[in-house]
């Protein structure tokens, strides 16, 4: 039984280390708004938030509601947040829906229900994912690049 508990503890610890953004996502701690510069923005009729540099800014975004696509950008095995991502979201028909430069490390978007392709590029390396955003619930996408820690 001790072996099982030790194994279970190591699995939980590894999960927290691998996905730090998710472990803090549920944080309801108060945010010091004096250091937060997050503003709701709009492009092509699509509302979004981009930022999360610093703990208070990250908490402010994570506590935001009304966004059905949440994206996190990070590097390395520790999942260190990075704010320098080129982001492109396209509809299933290939039409550009949202294009951002220097996005992240957190980007929350309110999209109409539908299928989308998301391409996140950092230092010339692109990561691609597809998602089906419904009218209810939140889709979470995590983009992680190996290098330069």
């Amino acid at each position: 039984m001790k072996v099982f508990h030790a194994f279970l503890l190591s699995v939980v610890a590894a999960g927290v280390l691998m996905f730090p953004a998710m472990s803090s996502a549920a944080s309801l701690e108060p945010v010091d708004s004096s250091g937060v510069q997050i503003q709701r923005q709009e492009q092509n009729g699509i509302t979004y938030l981009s930022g999360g540099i610093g703990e208070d800014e990250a908490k402010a975004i994570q506590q935001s509601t009304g966004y059905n696509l949440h994206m996190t950008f990070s590097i390395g095995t520790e999942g260190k947040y990075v704010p320098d991502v080129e982001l492109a979201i396209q509809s299933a028909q290939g039409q550009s829906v949202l294009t951002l430069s220097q996005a992240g490390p957190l980007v929350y978007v309110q999209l109409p229900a539908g299928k989308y392709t998301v391409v996140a590029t950092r230092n010339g390396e692109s990561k691609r994912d597809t998602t089906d955003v419904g009218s209810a619930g939140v889709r979470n996408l995590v983009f992680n690049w190996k290098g330069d820690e």
Side-chain angles (χ1 to χ4, degrees):
M1 193 69 164
K2 279 186 177 182
V3 172
F4 176 76
H5 286 280
F7 172 75
L8 185 60
L9 184 59
S10 66
V11 168
V12 170
V16 169
L17 287 174
M18 289 177 64
F19 300 104
M22 291 179 183
S23 65
S24 63
S27 174
L28 297 176
E29 295 175 23
V31 174
D32 177 7
S33 59
S34 64
V36 176
Q37 298 181 7
I38 298 298
Q39 293 183 8
R40 188 179 180 111
Q41 298 179 60
E42 189 174 310
Q43 184 184 106
N44 300 326
I46 302 298
T47 305
Y48 68 93
L49 296 173
S50 177
I53 299 171
E55 190 173 336
D56 286 325
E57 205 172 280
K59 284 181 194 174
I61 290 177
Q62 292 166 342
Q63 292 175 10
S64 298
T65 58
Y67 299 92
N68 56 7
L69 177 60
H70 297 180
M71 292 169 282
T72 303
F73 307 125
S74 63
I75 59 171
T77 56
E78 292 183 14
K80 179 182 169 189
Y81 281 172
V82 290
D84 56 352
V85 175
E86 305 299 313
L87 177 67
I89 301 176
Q90 295 179 332
S91 68
Q93 296 77 29
Q95 296 172 320
S96 179
V97 175
L98 182 68
T99 303
L100 301 176
S101 294
Q102 300 297 308
L106 302 172
V107 176
Y108 283 23
V109 183
Q110 178 59 47
L111 293 168
K115 293 184 185 227
Y116 297 91
T117 298
V118 179
V119 180
T121 305
R122 182 171 186 278
N123 293 336
E125 182 183 351
S126 294
K127 304 276 185 178
R128 176 182 299 265
D129 204 342
T130 56
T131 188
D132 193 352
V133 175
S135 56
V138 174
R139 300 292 299 163
N140 290 295
L141 299 179
V142 177
F143 295 91
N144 180 272
W145 290 265
K146 288 186 180 174
D148 56 283
E149 290 188 66

